[in-house]
Amino acid sequence: MTIAPVACLDQVSVLVEPRMRELIGRLDPRNQRVTAYHLGYCDADGAPTAAVGKGIRPALALLSARAAGQRPERGVDAAAAVELAHNFSLLHDDIMDQDTTRRHRPTAWVVFGTAAAILAGDALMIMAHDALAGDDRPGGAVAAQRLDADVHRLIAGQAADLEFERRDDVSLDECLAMTADKTAALMSCACALGALLCGAPAALTEGLSRFGTHLGMSFQLVDDQLGIWGEPARTGKPVGSDLRAGKKSVPIVHALASGTRAGDAFRALYASDGLPEAELMTARRLLEEAGSRDWVQREADRHLAHALDELAALELPGDVHGDLVDLARLVTGRKH
Amino acid sequence: MTIAPVACLDQVSVLVEPRMRELIGRLDPRNQRVTAYHLGYCDADGAPTAAVGKGIRPALALLSARAAGQRPERGVDAAAAVELAHNFSLLHDDIMDQDTTRRHRPTAWVVFGTAAAILAGDALMIMAHDALAGDDRPGGAVAAQRLDADVHRLIAGQAADLEFERRDDVSLDECLAMTADKTAALMSCACALGALLCGAPAALTEGLSRFGTHLGMSFQLVDDQLGIWGEPARTGKPVGSDLRAGKKSVPIVHALASGTRAGDAFRALYASDGLPEAELMTARRLLEEAGSRDWVQREADRHLAHALDELAALELPGDVHGDLVDLARLVTGRKH
């Protein structure tokens, strides 16, 4: 009965991408060019390319509509809105973090300049509203408010993340709250928005929302591990990229706050402006000795288990439940 | 019968500012600090100060509600939404243009850094939606869509403006279209949004919208003149700031496209990376000789006259009509 995860993600290219392309097509030519490049619809010269990005959030939004007993088509606007909001934040975050590569391509600000990338991000955020502002659906206004609230959290999380890079007294609780804002809020939004847009009952939308929060936490904790121990060929980023950048991701803050000898040695090594190449392996070993790698993996597993518990409690139709479980496992296991 | 313009602007501080402060107060502390500084509610250390900014757009939005036969209170959310969208664009534009001073204070990116100013702008844009997303008003959805459409134009206009700085073949039509997008769209939005939110009939909202478009054009043409001939004490900017910055504002593009001997001499002088101090006075004289200063003043007058004609055709109550005329004259005459 269960559609394989690949088929579930395939629905994104079949159903959501055309809607995204239609929305992008309404933009002025200058912003159209930058956003289409960022989304992988074209190269820097405007020649068509295959879209990039895994489409996890839109896939969740389509499943959210199906969880409400509707066809996935009814979740398309929610899916487009969440994916546009996500890409708004990527465009701006890449500028703030001065990241030069995303999805194995130069970032938009590198290709078109900072000003153009700021404007393109702005345009995508407004467009996320356009996606939801169609006909008068029962849940249209509620969905738009939910999206706005979670984008506020996303912005707050990014502001905290940037501040943490300059501080050496970040607590683990602060760091987890930042993660909940920066990543889990929009993932939770994706899981609830399709159902919200269909006017589903609160018991369902709130359950989906909690599923998404735990899924988002698990996803980010796995991502934090990859930022330290991930293989460049899989992550598309250099070895130990978060350590090089001086980030305060969860494993790093866990070690700094661990009170262990290894944690203290890591603190002595870890300058706020990032680690030099020669120290990367030492730093990774100290994080492992401080128990931070294991702790983060356990937390990721714990959040995934909570997510699946929330899902089970909703007593969804078997095929929808199966697809959501498969997608949750894919997202947190990082299988391609 | 007519309330003096000052009283009309006073209503902004009495009615709109508390709503803006309440909305800002919902933000996370980091973005609250940057947005409150930018809006002049506090200094860089967070100590309270008097709000800055003239409040023209919110004043127009309050009058828009009154034009629909409602009390100004009914236009408060529209006024807050437009002012927040305007300030979103100022925060981002100051980064893109690398402007270091606004309203006689250091710009937010100078004080808090580029990343913090990008995020603060993002937060204000989302908040503009929050302002409109209150109870289920008759025109709530329509007002939100109108705001989004005009913010798209504002973004398109800024993208064009930045591109023009790097081009030397900008036509006068292109330049006027950019002005319509970058400035007149949001001014027109302010004039229509209060009435839209009250569910006013299309004949009224469309008439107010056309009034706002002409007013916005006139306002920007006057502003373009001040960017070249304005006194620093009044503008808060250095002498000839647009010439120094290499802008392609309307008077400059008019001269470049004039085919006059003075225009050609100006072109030879005007490098894309701006004019040195020593050449400013020569450049201003050449613009005057090319007839560009006079042409822009005539266009500003023509648009103001059109704006007032549109207003007269609406046959508004005398006090509302009078206040709108007074405000239009204030805005385009730059009286303080």
Side-chain angles (χ1 to χ4, degrees):
Chain A
M1 293 294 286
T2 302
I3 304 169
V6 173
C8 174
L9 287 170
D10 276 354
Q11 287 202 315
V12 173
S13 21
V14 176
L15 296 176
V16 185
E17 200 186 303
R19 173 74 167 134
M20 300 257 299
R21 284 177 183 271
E22 183 257 315
L23 288 163
I24 297 288
R26 294 187 204 165
L27 285 177
D28 67 288
R30 294 172 187 89
N31 282 303
Q32 210 176 118
R33 187 157 161 243
V34 183
T35 53
Y37 170 82
H38 170 77
L39 292 165
Y41 298 161
C42 66
D43 66 18
D45 299 318
T49 52
V52 295
K54 289 180 285 294
I56 292 161
R57 290 164 192 79
L60 289 167
L62 295 182
L63 282 162
S64 174
R66 286 175 60 202
Q70 304 289 336
R71 292 163 45 80
E73 284 79 359
R74 290 287 303 276
V76 165
D77 290 342
V82 169
E83 188 68 349
L84 289 164
H86 175 55
N87 281 284
F88 136 76
S89 79
L90 296 183
L91 275 162
H92 284 187
D93 285 4
D94 284 342
I95 298 167
M96 297 180 221
D97 299 337
Q98 291 287 289
D99 281 336
T100 55
T101 305
R102 171 169 299 282
R103 301 160 178 163
H104 307 277
R105 306 158 82 218
T107 45
W109 71 268
V110 170
V111 177
F112 300 101
T114 298
I118 292 175
L119 288 169
D122 293 343
L124 288 191
M125 186 54 232
I126 309 297
M127 185 162 287
H129 284 98
D130 300 339
L132 292 177
D135 48 330
D136 284 333
R137 278 166 296 210
V142 175
Q145 287 180 42
R146 169 71 199 247
L147 180 69
D148 282 347
D150 286 323
V151 172
H152 271 307
R153 291 188 60 190
L154 188 162
I155 293 168
Q158 171 70 358
D161 198 15
L162 291 170
E163 186 194 283
F164 291 175
E165 288 182 31
R166 300 189 304 272
R167 280 175 48 193
D168 60 2
D169 63 345
V170 180
S171 73
L172 191 54
D173 281 350
E174 278 183 301
C175 191
L176 291 167
M178 178 274 285
T179 302
D181 281 344
K182 185 171 171 176
T183 305
L186 195 64
M187 194 79 88
S188 174
C189 185
C191 293
L193 208 66
L196 275 172
L197 204 56
C198 298
L204 176 63
T205 58
E206 287 166 12
L208 287 168
S209 188
R210 289 191 298 271
F211 161 72
T213 299
H214 285 299
L215 182 62
M217 289 302 292
S218 186
F219 168 82
Q220 186 57 53
L221 291 169
V222 169
D223 203 62
D224 281 357
Q225 286 182 302
L226 292 172
I228 296 170
W229 291 281
E231 298 163 27
R234 276 178 61 193
T235 63
K237 293 177 180 173
V239 173
S241 57
D242 283 356
L243 289 168
R244 291 174 196 266
K247 290 267 180 196
K248 296 275 167 44
S249 64
V250 177
I252 291 165
V253 170
H254 179 272
L256 292 171
S258 66
T260 61
R261 189 177 295 184
D264 291 343
F266 175 76
R267 176 184 293 278
L269 198 67
Y270 199 54
S272 65
D273 52 353
L275 270 188
E277 179 88 27
E279 312 275 25
L280 283 179
M281 295 304 142
T282 310
R284 299 217 297 204
R285 184 175 49 74
L286 290 171
L287 289 174
E288 288 160 24
E289 287 176 16
S292 303
R293 186 178 192 175
D294 288 343
W295 185 86
V296 169
Q297 185 58 54
R298 280 197 308 276
E299 278 297 290
D301 293 343
R302 189 178 68 80
H303 277 294
L304 178 59
H306 271 297
L308 298 179
D309 286 349
E310 292 287 355
L311 209 53
L314 291 175
E315 300 181 350
L316 299 173
D319 59 335
V320 181
H321 182 261
D323 281 359
L324 280 164
V325 171
D326 287 348
L327 194 56
R329 292 218 168 101
L330 181 82
V331 165
T332 52
R334 283 295 177 113
K335 297 192 192 79
H336 286 277
Chain B
M1 291 292 287
T2 302
I3 303 170
V6 172
C8 175
L9 287 170
D10 276 352
Q11 287 202 315
V12 173
S13 23
V14 175
L15 296 177
V16 185
E17 200 186 305
R19 173 74 168 133
M20 301 258 298
R21 286 177 181 269
E22 183 255 317
L23 287 164
I24 296 288
R26 295 187 203 166
L27 284 177
D28 66 287
R30 295 173 188 88
N31 282 303
Q32 210 174 120
R33 190 160 159 240
V34 183
T35 52
Y37 171 81
H38 169 77
L39 291 166
Y41 298 163
C42 64
D43 65 19
D45 300 319
T49 52
V52 294
K54 288 181 286 293
I56 291 160
R57 290 164 194 80
L60 289 168
L62 295 181
L63 282 163
S64 174
R66 286 175 60 202
Q70 304 290 336
R71 292 162 46 80
E73 285 79 358
R74 289 287 302 278
V76 166
D77 289 342
V82 169
E83 188 68 350
L84 289 164
H86 175 56
N87 281 283
F88 136 77
S89 79
L90 296 182
L91 275 162
H92 284 187
D93 285 3
D94 284 343
I95 298 167
M96 298 181 220
D97 299 337
Q98 291 287 292
D99 281 336
T100 55
T101 305
R102 172 169 299 281
R103 300 160 179 161
H104 305 277
R105 307 158 80 218
T107 45
W109 71 269
V110 170
V111 177
F112 300 100
T114 298
I118 292 176
L119 287 169
D122 294 342
L124 289 191
M125 186 54 233
I126 310 295
M127 187 163 285
H129 283 98
D130 300 340
L132 292 177
D135 49 327
D136 285 331
R137 278 165 294 209
V142 175
Q145 287 180 41
R146 168 72 200 247
L147 179 68
D148 280 347
D150 286 323
V151 173
H152 272 307
R153 291 188 60 191
L154 188 162
I155 293 169
Q158 170 71 358
D161 199 15
L162 291 171
E163 187 194 282
F164 291 174
E165 288 182 33
R166 299 189 306 271
R167 279 175 49 193
D168 59 3
D169 63 344
V170 180
S171 73
L172 192 53
D173 280 351
E174 279 183 300
C175 192
L176 291 167
M178 178 275 286
T179 302
D181 282 344
K182 186 171 170 175
T183 305
L186 195 65
M187 194 79 88
S188 173
C189 187
C191 293
L193 209 65
L196 275 174
L197 204 57
C198 298
L204 177 62
T205 59
E206 288 166 12
L208 288 168
S209 189
R210 290 191 298 272
F211 161 72
T213 299
H214 285 298
L215 181 61
M217 289 302 293
S218 186
F219 168 81
Q220 186 57 52
L221 291 168
V222 169
D223 202 61
D224 281 357
Q225 287 182 301
L226 291 172
I228 297 170
W229 292 278
E231 296 162 27
R234 274 178 62 193
T235 63
K237 295 177 180 174
V239 173
S241 56
D242 283 355
L243 289 169
R244 291 174 195 264
K247 291 264 179 199
K248 296 275 164 45
S249 65
V250 177
I252 290 166
V253 170
H254 179 272
L256 291 172
S258 66
T260 60
R261 188 178 295 185
D264 292 342
F266 175 75
R267 177 185 292 277
L269 197 67
Y270 199 54
S272 63
D273 52 351
L275 269 189
E277 180 86 29
E279 313 274 25
L280 282 178
M281 295 304 142
T282 309
R284 297 212 303 202
R285 185 175 47 75
L286 290 170
L287 289 173
E288 288 159 22
E289 287 176 17
S292 304
R293 187 178 191 174
D294 289 343
W295 185 85
V296 168
Q297 184 58 52
R298 280 199 305 277
E299 278 297 290
D301 293 343
R302 190 177 67 82
H303 278 293
L304 179 59
H306 272 296
L308 297 179
D309 286 349
E310 292 287 354
L311 209 54
L314 292 174
E315 299 182 351
L316 300 173
D319 58 336
V320 182
H321 183 262
D323 281 359
L324 280 165
V325 171
D326 287 347
L327 194 55
R329 293 219 167 102
L330 181 81
V331 164
T332 52
R334 281 297 176 113
K335 299 197 190 74
H336 288 276

